[in-house]
Amino acid sequence: MQDDLPTSKPLFTRLRSSIFGSPGATSHVEDSDDSQSSFSNSSDSETELNISEITATISPTNSNSNSNSNSNSNSNSNSNNDLSLLNITVSKPMLLGDSSIPTLPTITPTPKTKPFPTIINSSPNVKIDSFGFIIPPKPKKGFRPASCHTTAIRIPKKTVQQRSNLATKRVAKWVVMLKNWDSLSNTRLLKNRIRKGVPDSVRGRVWNIIGGVGELRAKWGANYYQSLVESKYVPDQDIRGTIERDINRTYPSHAMFAISSGEEGGQGCLRRVLRAYSLHDEEVGYCQGMGFIVAMFLTYMEEESAFWQLVSVMGSDPCGIRNLYKIGMPLAQENFYVGAKLIKKFFPILAKHMAKENLDISMYATQWFMTIFTNSFPFSFVTLVWDIFLAEGWKIVFRCMLAIMKHSVPQLLRLDFEGLMHFMRDVPSKIDGPVMMERALKIELKQSHIEYYKVKYKKMREAEEKAEEA
């Protein structure tokens, strides 16, 4: 089954491998043994990059075109092809996999090509986390400002090394598991290892297998996606306009999506997948929030696989997120109801305080549910959520919501409406992914709790509809 999946690496994975070395390589981080967060004493790993040593031109270019990096003739052909996807010319060989600090290309935009964000152009040193997100520079005084998908929490060097060592060990186990997937599927062993986190180097492949990407491609035909991409049919011009506006808003601080590169690069891949899905499912078309999920997929898999992964999570169990994006957002409304009831069940005092301050769950959790945390949470958390979400469904989303609330109860009870809104807005930057996921899995939430409130919501909606008809 898994043999049907493509083995080529997605664009960012290849670029990341070229710049950072192998997936298991340890990133350079700040020496820091102190803790500066109410949530945890650890954070995403960071890599410090010196722009001045590498020059590059990033422009809309065909991925099959030859690279002009003559000065890097000693690099192997695979590495040249990877870099040629962004038409990067390396001025000197890069030492990969050793202790030297890797360097980031200086961006020289060509006409009609937007440069990387100002943070790269204006600073000789830029920090990028292991997922590819640009980290804001640390001010001379105070803490590093938070940024979407990164965390303001510092991480002790010892913790970074421990996590890196553990991840390396898990890769070996997952390689064996992938070779014996059919015999391990639906086993407790697989469930436990997914909950511990799928290693980055095999995450895309594992997600494809869990989502049945190979089977979907076989069902619809090998050329189906390409036919959608090449189709001239436009069911709704407004959809294309909305997609185009949202492209630049989707992970603008990620190396893969930071620049507008026409039909090439990350933005081009994202555009094609979203347009193709709008043709595949005309009832849903496109809704804001879908772009973040697709962009996350694209950082781990090739373009067509990302399309089929989206088809899978939209319409197949255990995820079935399609109703999040239909007119009226019926699944989102159900999630708000279930989420509010669960908060009341597990934290009645907090629920009463929030009700007193007129803080409805939709005011702070809309993006949590609509994008399954991909909109603004650190990727060290997002990827762990999605590992489990793809395998188990919505229970982990509610567990994470409750874990965030549980750890924040003392602070939240002291805040008024404005303070509550401000706190919930800043929650993502205060989360350490592995620590928060460990807390979430300890929440004693049962599927029966969720199903009970879903039934109550359904009965409430039926009563409301009957009252409207009367």
Side-chain angles (χ1 to χ4, degrees):
M1 175 174 60
Q2 58 267 37
D3 293 334
D4 296 334
L5 299 173
T7 56
S8 60
K9 298 178 181 178
L11 174 61
F12 176 66
T13 301
R14 284 177 276 173
L15 180 59
R16 175 168 55 187
S17 297
S18 299
I19 296 179
F20 297 107
S22 62
T26 303
S27 299
H28 172 75
V29 294
E30 291 179 309
D31 290 332
S32 174
D33 295 321
D34 56 338
S35 170
Q36 302 291 351
S37 170
S38 60
F39 271 89
S40 170
N41 61 353
S42 56
S43 71
D44 295 337
S45 58
E46 302 171 358
T47 302
E48 187 169 334
L49 307 176
N50 186 343
I51 302 178
S52 61
E53 297 186 8
I54 294 180
T55 57
T57 299
I58 295 185
S59 61
T61 180
N62 190 300
S63 60
N64 296 323
S65 62
N66 296 326
S67 172
N68 295 324
S69 54
N70 297 328
S71 60
N72 195 26
S73 58
N74 293 330
S75 300
N76 60 51
S77 59
N78 289 334
S79 177
N80 285 338
N81 289 336
D82 292 340
L83 292 175
S84 70
L85 290 173
L86 289 181
N87 196 22
I88 295 180
T89 302
V90 182
S91 61
K92 76 173 191 176
M94 300 164 89
L95 302 177
L96 304 179
D98 62 8
S99 60
S100 62
I101 300 175
T103 52
L104 183 72
T106 298
I107 307 307
T108 307
T110 56
K112 299 183 180 179
T113 304
K114 294 181 180 179
F116 269 160
T118 306
I119 182 173
I120 290 184
N121 294 322
S122 62
S123 175
N125 294 297
V126 173
K127 292 199 173 186
I128 294 181
D129 70 9
S130 59
F131 297 99
F133 288 96
I134 301 162
I135 300 175
K138 181 182 177 181
K140 294 181 178 180
K141 295 183 179 180
F143 303 115
R144 184 189 307 281
S147 172
C148 288
H149 318 294
T150 64
T151 175
I153 305 170
R154 294 183 180 182
I155 183 169
K157 189 175 182 179
K158 181 178 179 181
T159 303
V160 174
Q161 189 62 52
Q162 289 174 341
R163 289 182 178 178
S164 177
N165 294 340
L166 183 59
T168 301
K169 293 179 181 178
R170 286 177 178 167
V171 169
K173 293 179 180 179
W174 274 94
V175 169
V176 174
M177 288 173 62
L178 284 170
K179 292 180 180 179
N180 301 279
W181 187 270
D182 291 338
S183 62
L184 289 173
S185 60
N186 300 318
T187 63
R188 185 70 188 181
L189 174 63
L190 179 60
K191 182 177 181 179
N192 288 340
R193 288 189 176 170
I194 287 176
R195 286 186 170 189
K196 291 178 181 178
V198 180
D200 257 350
S201 57
V202 297
R203 180 169 271 132
R205 187 170 177 81
V206 171
W207 284 4
N208 284 173
I209 296 172
I210 294 175
V213 165
E215 290 87 342
L216 283 171
R217 183 185 283 114
K219 174 184 176 181
W220 289 89
N223 298 321
Y224 179 70
Y225 174 69
Q226 192 59 33
S227 69
L228 294 176
V229 171
E230 296 174 354
S231 175
K232 303 299 182 182
Y233 174 58
V234 181
D236 190 338
Q237 192 65 45
D238 290 340
I239 288 179
R240 288 210 167 190
T242 304
I243 290 174
E244 202 60 36
R245 286 193 298 272
D246 287 347
I247 291 291
N248 291 327
R249 303 171 184 169
T250 306
Y251 300 157
S253 63
H254 192 283
M256 187 174 175
F257 305 99
I259 61 170
S260 177
S261 53
E263 292 305 307
E264 303 300 330
Q267 289 195 357
C269 294
L270 179 59
R271 179 183 295 107
R272 286 189 293 274
V273 172
L274 293 175
R275 286 182 178 178
Y277 188 84
S278 72
L279 297 178
H280 172 77
D281 184 354
E282 292 188 30
E283 182 182 9
V284 170
Y286 169 77
C287 180
Q288 289 179 328
M290 292 168 58
F292 290 99
I293 294 172
V294 173
M296 176 188 63
F297 290 158
L298 286 170
T299 66
Y300 285 102
M301 61 194 72
E302 65 169 6
E303 179 181 326
E304 184 175 354
S305 295
F307 168 78
W308 291 116
Q309 192 80 52
L310 177 64
V311 172
S312 174
V313 299
M314 290 289 276
S316 303
D317 290 334
C319 301
I321 65 175
R322 187 171 179 269
N323 282 341
L324 279 176
Y325 307 115
K326 290 173 64 176
I327 295 176
M329 300 186 295
L331 182 56
Q333 299 301 325
E334 179 183 283
N335 285 341
F336 291 148
Y337 180 88
V338 174
K341 292 297 183 180
L342 289 174
I343 292 174
K344 186 175 181 180
K345 174 180 177 61
F346 282 84
F347 316 112
I349 297 177
L350 176 61
K352 184 177 180 180
H353 175 67
M354 287 183 162
K356 177 183 176 183
E357 296 296 330
N358 295 314
L359 183 71
D360 187 76
I361 188 172
S362 63
M363 295 178 180
Y364 58 86
T366 296
Q367 293 296 340
W368 300 5
F369 292 131
M370 292 296 291
T371 69
I372 302 88
F373 298 106
T374 59
N375 175 261
S376 59
F377 281 77
F379 253 45
S380 61
F381 177 68
V382 171
T383 51
L384 294 176
V385 172
W386 274 84
D387 288 342
I388 303 172
F389 180 64
L390 291 171
E392 301 183 28
W394 281 93
K395 184 178 179 181
I396 189 59
V397 178
F398 291 114
R399 263 184 162 157
C400 289
M401 175 199 72
L402 293 173
I404 293 170
M405 292 296 180
K406 181 177 181 179
H407 194 72
S408 307
V409 166
Q411 299 98 308
L412 293 173
L413 289 176
R414 295 194 298 265
L415 301 174
D416 59 10
F417 176 82
E418 291 185 2
L420 288 168
M421 288 295 292
H422 181 81
F423 185 93
M424 300 308 289
R425 183 195 67 192
D426 291 343
V427 156
S429 67
K430 300 175 182 178
I431 283 181
D432 172 57
V435 173
M436 187 55 67
M437 181 54 67
E438 184 179 353
R439 292 170 179 162
L441 291 173
K442 291 179 180 178
I443 297 290
E444 295 182 358
L445 174 66
K446 298 180 180 179
Q447 188 63 36
S448 59
H449 296 147
I450 299 172
E451 296 301 323
Y452 172 75
Y453 291 123
K454 287 172 70 174
V455 170
K456 289 195 67 175
Y457 176 76
K458 184 178 180 181
K459 290 181 178 179
M460 182 189 73
R461 290 294 299 154
E462 289 175 350
E464 291 175 351
E465 290 172 0
K466 288 181 180 179
E468 290 175 358
E469 293 174 357

